[in-house]
């Protein structure tokens, strides 16, 4: 049997949304994952990195620690120079902001070694100021010069690179998950969740995300407060600095439940008891929670400012999109789905065709095909 080609994947920190992707990539490549740090200031995730593939965790130097007080995802390690230069992999995927030292050094060193390199990215932020546009355009030449391709999490991301004159081949590789986790639920654990959150005939609207202004939990809370249905429950998964403010917004509406930060192994059971998944983020480049709802076969109501929703929910048969920040639209969408079981069943049926697109095994095989055939 022929040996597997080698791949190094450079990325900011371990996240629950990468682990299944890395597991699938390791089945096809001799994989090494290089993390720029073990965590960032706004993250609560903690992981055991005892995995089947090699991992390296770098340490930020004093320069990075100073800058991180203003820019959380700025990473610079003295180790990056030796590590990137000595990296013998056949193929490279580089993540993290293209202008931070770790990414720029990894890109440049492996270009010198004439390796196949793809940059992995969410959409670039728009810049209207001409001077700032020119600076960003110049910085993006780092990618134009060093990379063979851009792996974009969405079509919107691909367009954003085109708008800054990056003419490299672009492939859509969305953030992805192990979709099987949302179908193969532990029946005993699921019953425990039902007894705690859905003991009678409650209709559950689930949302998941950090409790910060950008995630729009206030929009969902205000929408639910306007719905006169004693059997309705809004369960919010997540923690964050706005928790008390959001609880105050609920006032005495006991239908709204804050479940707090949850470990990844609990998330599928929350989806398992949900009738609807609602996500009112004011902006998300992708949002893996949309993947999770699709995998769990739960009808989706989402803001139109969410990359995954715009990319995947292209017809009302696949879910409902609402204007970002519009409480009335979210209320109407909730009432529409809550009162129409046939509509929910129809959405669940049609959205199943989206499952392969958000699954790690599908996307890992696509990456293998890109490197070994399309970029060969």
């Amino acid at each position: 049997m022929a040996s597997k080609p080698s791949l190094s994947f450079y990325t900011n920190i371990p996240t629950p949304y990468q682990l299944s992707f890395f597991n699938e990539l390791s089945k096809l490549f001799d994989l090494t994952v290089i993390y720029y740090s073990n965590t960032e200031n706004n993250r609560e995730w903690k992981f055991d990195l005892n995995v089947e593939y090699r991992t390296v965790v770098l340490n930020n130097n004093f320069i990075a620690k100073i800058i991180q007080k203003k820019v959380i995802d700025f990473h610079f390690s003295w180790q990056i120079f030796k590590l990137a230069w000595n990296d013998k992999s056949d193929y490279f995927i580089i993540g993290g902001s293209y202008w931070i030292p770790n990414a720029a050094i990894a890109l440049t060193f492996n270009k010198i070694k004439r390796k196949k390199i793809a940059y992995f990215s969410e959409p670039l932020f728009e810049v209207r100021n001409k001077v700032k546009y020119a600076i960003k355009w110049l910085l993006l030449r780092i990618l134009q010069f060093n990379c063979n391709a851009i792996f974009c999490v969405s079509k919107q991301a691909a367009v954003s690179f085109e708008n800054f004159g990056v003419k490299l081949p672009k492939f859509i590789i969305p953030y992805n998950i192990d979709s099987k986790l949302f179908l193969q639920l532990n029946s005993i654990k699921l019953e425990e969740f039902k007894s705690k959150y859905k003991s009678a005939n409650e209709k559950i609207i689930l949302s998941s995300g950090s409790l910060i202004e950008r995630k729009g939990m206030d929009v969902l809370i205000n929408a639910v407060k306007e719905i006169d249905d004693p059997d309705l429950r809004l369960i919010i998964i997540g923690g964050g600095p706005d928790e008390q403010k959001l609880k105050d917004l609920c006032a005495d509406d006991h239908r709204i439940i804050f479940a707090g930060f949850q470990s990844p192994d609990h998330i599928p059971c929350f989806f398992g008891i949900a009738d609807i998944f609602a996500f009112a983020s004011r902006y998300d480049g992708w949002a893996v929670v949309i993947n999770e709802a699709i995998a769990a076969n739960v009808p989706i109501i989402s803001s139109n400012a969410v990359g995954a929703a715009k990319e995947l929910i292209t017809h009302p048969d696949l879910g409902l999109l609402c204007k970002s920040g519009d409480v009335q639209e979210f209320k109407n969408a909730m009432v529409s789905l809550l009162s129409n079981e046939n509509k929910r069943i129809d959405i669940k049926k049609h959205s199943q065709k989206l499952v392969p697109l958000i699954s790690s095994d599908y996307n890992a095989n696509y990456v293998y095909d890109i490197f070994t055939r399309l970029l060969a």
Side-chain angles (χ1 to χ4, degrees):
M1 181 178 177
S3 61
K4 295 186 289 188
S6 52
L7 169 68
S8 287
F9 198 127
Y10 290 66
T11 187
N12 281 356
I13 61 172
T15 75
Y17 310 131
Q18 293 176 310
L19 296 183
S20 66
F21 188 35
F22 293 158
N23 286 335
E24 294 298 331
L25 286 172
S26 70
K27 297 174 183 178
L28 303 169
F29 297 94
D30 180 10
L31 179 67
T32 302
V33 178
I34 298 92
Y35 296 108
Y36 301 149
S37 180
N38 62 350
T39 190
E40 291 171 345
N41 292 337
N42 63 339
R43 301 300 188 187
E44 299 180 72
W45 300 315
K46 296 185 185 301
F47 298 103
D48 177 7
L49 294 179
N50 182 23
V51 289
E52 296 296 322
Y53 48 87
R54 289 184 297 278
T55 61
V56 178
V57 181
L58 304 181
N59 297 309
N60 283 306
N61 58 29
F62 71 94
I63 299 172
K65 290 177 181 177
I66 292 170
I67 296 176
Q68 282 173 354
K69 294 178 180 178
K70 294 290 185 181
V71 184
I72 291 173
D73 59 350
F74 183 92
H75 295 286
F76 185 18
S77 170
W78 300 127
Q79 302 161 280
I80 191 67
F81 294 97
K82 182 177 180 180
L83 187 146
W85 187 253
N86 292 326
D87 196 328
K88 305 299 184 184
S89 289
D90 301 309
Y91 307 118
F92 291 82
I93 300 175
I94 312 294
S97 297
Y98 53 91
W99 52 271
I100 66 172
N102 281 0
I105 291 164
L107 287 164
T108 302
F109 280 17
N110 287 298
K111 171 66 174 181
I112 292 171
K113 293 184 289 179
R114 298 184 180 182
K115 299 293 185 176
K116 296 290 185 183
I117 307 169
Y119 178 68
F120 187 83
S121 181
E122 292 186 359
L124 299 171
F125 287 108
E126 293 183 14
V127 176
R128 300 191 184 279
N129 179 282
K130 291 183 179 180
V131 174
K132 291 182 178 179
Y133 177 91
I135 293 171
K136 191 162 187 171
W137 189 95
L138 286 170
L139 286 172
L140 281 163
R141 296 317 97 187
I142 296 171
L143 302 183
Q144 184 67 53
F145 180 75
N146 290 307
C147 294
N148 301 95
I150 308 292
F151 287 174
C152 304
V153 302
S154 63
K155 293 176 184 175
Q156 180 188 359
V159 170
S160 73
F161 279 94
E162 286 290 333
N163 291 341
F164 279 97
V166 178
K167 302 301 183 183
L168 297 166
K170 299 169 187 69
F171 302 94
I172 308 302
I173 310 290
Y175 291 129
N176 49 79
I177 61 172
D178 182 353
S179 57
K180 296 185 293 296
L181 295 176
F182 291 82
L183 297 177
Q184 301 168 355
L185 301 181
N186 181 296
S187 58
I188 296 175
K189 183 183 288 188
L190 185 60
E191 286 303 317
E192 291 175 357
F193 275 73
K194 285 182 179 178
S195 65
K196 184 174 183 179
Y197 297 107
K198 194 175 184 177
S199 56
N201 296 316
E202 295 92 350
K203 298 171 185 174
I204 303 296
I205 296 177
L206 178 69
S207 193
S208 177
S210 299
L211 303 186
I212 55 177
E213 193 269 345
R214 179 172 65 84
K215 292 295 184 178
M217 295 300 179
D218 57 308
V219 176
L220 298 181
I221 290 169
N222 284 324
V224 166
K225 286 168 63 178
E226 292 188 14
I227 300 173
D228 183 17
D229 184 348
D231 291 329
L232 173 60
R233 299 287 183 275
L234 171 62
I235 299 177
I236 298 173
I237 302 173
D242 288 356
E243 181 171 352
Q244 190 55 53
K245 182 165 63 174
L246 291 170
K247 287 181 176 178
D248 292 342
L249 180 62
C250 296
D252 58 352
D253 194 331
H254 302 296
R255 301 175 303 164
I256 302 171
I257 300 167
F258 289 83
F261 178 79
Q262 297 289 326
S263 61
D265 60 313
H266 284 175
I267 300 298
C269 284
F270 277 100
F271 279 93
I273 65 170
D275 297 288
I276 295 169
F277 180 76
F279 192 58
S281 178
R282 291 179 168 91
Y283 171 77
D284 260 287
W286 184 254
V288 171
V289 290
I290 300 297
N291 297 38
E292 293 172 340
I294 290 170
N297 204 17
V298 178
I300 296 167
I301 300 171
S302 175
S303 155
N304 62 2
V306 175
K310 290 192 292 185
E311 189 89 3
L312 299 169
I313 303 175
T314 55
H315 190 278
D317 284 345
L318 300 172
L320 302 181
L321 295 184
C322 301
K323 183 179 178 182
S324 176
D326 193 318
V327 172
Q328 191 63 41
E329 281 200 21
F330 272 92
K331 174 195 171 183
N332 293 342
M334 291 176 183
V335 171
S336 173
L337 288 190
L338 288 169
S339 62
N340 191 339
E341 184 179 4
N342 288 334
K343 177 63 175 175
R344 299 200 303 273
I345 293 171
D346 199 43
I347 289 175
K348 292 168 73 170
K349 180 180 71 175
H350 286 94
S351 63
Q352 284 304 285
K353 68 182 181 183
L354 301 174
V355 173
L357 303 180
I358 53 88
S359 298
S360 296
D361 52 355
Y362 176 94
N363 284 284
N365 278 282
Y366 188 29
V367 167
Y368 183 87
D369 191 48
I370 293 168
F371 276 127
T372 60
R373 188 175 66 85
L374 300 179
L375 295 179

